[in-house]
Amino acid sequence: MILDFGSQYTQLIARRVRELNVYCEIYPFDSFPAPDGTVKGVILSGSPWSVRDAKAPFPDLKGIKGRVPLLGVCYGAQYLTHAYGGEVLPSKTREYGRAKLVKIDTADPLFTGVTPGTQVWMSHGDTIIRTPDGYNITGSTEDVSLAAFHITGEQTWGIQFHPEVYHTTEGTKMLGNFVRGICGCHAEWTPESFVEMTVRSLKEQIGNDRVVLGLSGGVDSSVAALLLDRAIGDRLTSIFVDNGLLRKNEYSAVLDAYRRMGLNVLGVDASAEFVEGLRGVDDPEKKRKIIGRKFIEVFDREAHRVQNVKWLAQGTIYPDVIESVSVNGPSATIKSHHNVGGLPEKMHLKVVEPLRLLFKDEVRRVGQALGMPGEILGRHPFPGPGLAIRIVGDVTPAKLETLRDADEIFISGLKKNGFYDKVWQAAVILLPVQSVGVMGDERTYENAVVLRAVSSTDGMTADWSHLPHEFLAEISNQIINRVKGVNRVVYDISSKPPSTIEWE
Ligand code: XMP
């Protein structure tokens, strides 16, 4: 169990522990279940607060400290000092960034196999000046003599550096020493075990009811569908809507792939309705609203054709569920997912979310364990409103066709040249800008398109991809020669922030 004090790194602790194949959950520091036999250990996260602040988060560790193994990280370690009679004050020396653990007690089980002098990552404004009695100092850096401690006679440790960040070279080893060595957890949290456990609990939860699920073609909803298919087979009806804003041939290719996977899937071609609803609308937020509303309408209509439905399944994942802001109250905001907020209420259905405990990379691994084909598993993210937000200005069938043709050339070029998997997301954007060109003996006055390719891990920040000039030249040539109405291709070299990935 990880108690969250609001650190930007709390989710990272959970990911590292899960990478060790040990299951963990994050709870707000002031609202967590009393540890029963299932909790093998507790990690206290860092925090933007100082323990000396009047409003600093103070957890009640009565049922935990001294009863189950406990590891305080950064603020967690400072809290274990401050609250039990030690002293924590603002640091005088530099305690941000890389440091070396010059002294380590290698006999301490937290540091088994850790190399003396190993690099750690510090990030705190306060530092521990004096520990309470009975605290053994087990690690020091040049600037921080009280970098790590163990409480004598207790399974309690504190470290002022962050083992969860990449810059702490042997951080995973330390976390492994804690969760596997000290807490005695086995490396049992694997994609296969998740599948087995989830399928079993889905069977129990759903019984003989029927479930509907909206497939988007993306990884999350597809993996959710496969899991449910394993659990309840054809009592799951998946609905894949063609909103007319998908890529070239995407609807039929993805629908085929779903059928090959054995899913009971209903394809709904509603493209004309969506495109008609968007006619003359150029404001991006209005476009999103129209598409979102239309989706609910179409999905609701189609789902009603299925008899006796009791459940709506969604591909919600862990980052959508938790927000590392427990200091502001537990999970204040839960993001609406895939632009279908409001569906369960409208349809009076119970919600089932088989992926709500998984991080994105875990979803991919579960998909792999379920035998999902690479063509779905490795797909770039694609926005719910699709090509509508890649046509700057109003959307028309002619513009959609132009954009689809250009996009097809770019995406298949990336695939052919081995760049597709190296790029996080790629797109073509059609601009409402015309410029002068010359083709043969004729002067042209046609549209410009933008190629966009970015590297990212979560879409929150992104850098433009440094694709080779020769490749870009080839794509530009192909687009201008083959796509009617386009006479200029530009490459977007903006990063996010301050730009965004999409243009609208
Ligand atoms: P931005 O443009 O905000 O995009 O940098 C970040 C990621 O979110 C996707 N995106 C959306 N996805 N509905 C979605 O489902 C939307 O309205 C939407 N807008 C942006 C975008 O494709 C990128 O992956």
Side-chain angles (χ1 to χ4, degrees), residues 288 339 381-385 389-390 424-425 459 496 500-502:
R288 281 189 170 82
N339 315 294
F382 187 69
I389 56 166
R390 293 182 180 167
W424 191 77
Q425 187 172 15
K496 173 182 180 176
T500 50
I501 296 174
E502 305 292 348

Side-chain angles (χ1 to χ4, degrees), residues 76-328:
Q78 293 167 355
Y79 175 77
L80 288 173
T81 304
H82 178 80
Y84 296 88
E87 196 170 4
V88 175
L89 289 175
S91 5
K92 293 209 179 70
T93 50
R94 181 177 157 275
E95 292 183 22
Y96 183 83
R98 293 176 176 81
K100 296 216 176 300
L101 263 192
V102 285
K103 277 196 235 151
I104 311 186
D105 177 358
T106 46
D108 185 290
L110 190 64
F111 293 135
T112 304
V114 173
T115 326
T118 188
Q119 176 179 295
V120 295
W121 183 259
M122 294 283 189
S123 172
H124 45 99
D126 278 356
T127 196
I128 301 173
I129 300 296
R130 183 175 51 77
T131 50
D133 291 345
Y135 283 42
N136 261 333
I137 308 311
T138 53
S140 314
T141 68
E142 264 165 15
D143 291 326
V144 183
S145 57
L146 305 183
F149 61 76
H150 169 238
I151 304 183
T152 318
E154 264 182 42
Q155 298 268 81
T156 304
W157 284 260
I159 47 184
Q160 287 207 83
F161 54 86
H162 288 272
E164 68 276 20
V165 308
Y166 168 77
H167 305 289
T168 298
T169 322
E170 295 181 58
T172 304
K173 186 176 272 173
M174 298 173 199
L175 286 172
N177 285 342
F178 182 69
V179 297
R180 290 202 190 149
I182 294 168
C183 301
C185 298
H186 299 293
E188 287 169 346
W189 173 253
T190 58
E192 291 74 18
S193 70
F194 172 82
V195 170
E196 201 191 301
M197 197 177 81
T198 309
V199 166
R200 209 180 320 129
S201 72
L202 285 172
K203 277 185 179 160
E204 237 167 69
Q205 188 181 6
I206 292 164
N208 289 321
D209 293 347
R210 289 188 172 272
V211 181
V212 285
L213 173 144
L215 283 169
S216 70
V219 179
D220 302 345
S221 63
S222 307
V223 172
L226 270 192
L227 270 172
L228 278 151
D229 179 67
R230 279 259 176 117
I232 60 164
D234 280 359
R235 276 182 288 119
L236 168 71
T237 305
S238 298
I239 300 175
F240 180 43
V241 176
D242 183 355
N243 58 8
L245 307 166
L246 302 174
R247 295 191 139 116
K248 190 164 186 162
N249 300 326
E250 190 173 24
Y251 177 62
S252 56
V254 172
L255 199 55
D256 266 5
Y258 283 142
R259 295 208 164 118
R260 269 183 276 123
M261 285 187 257
L263 291 179
N264 170 24
V265 54
L266 199 67
V268 182
D269 179 359
S271 47
E273 283 177 61
F274 279 85
V275 176
E276 180 53 35
L278 286 168
R279 190 206 288 253
V281 180
D282 56 10
D283 176 72
E285 284 316 301
K286 279 202 188 118
K287 288 187 200 174
R288 281 189 170 82
K289 287 218 174 74
I290 290 167
I291 295 162
R293 267 203 305 268
K294 196 71 181 163
F295 182 83
I296 292 181
E297 188 188 311
V298 172
F299 189 87
D300 187 40
R301 186 173 72 211
E302 297 302 323
H304 272 99
R305 294 182 203 269
V306 189
Q307 300 295 310
N308 294 323
V309 175
K310 297 265 165 47
W311 299 83
L312 173 72
Q314 292 190 319
T316 316
I317 66 173
Y318 205 36
D320 300 326
V321 176
I322 43 162
E323 292 254 335
S324 194
V325 287
S326 59
V327 279
N328 299 327

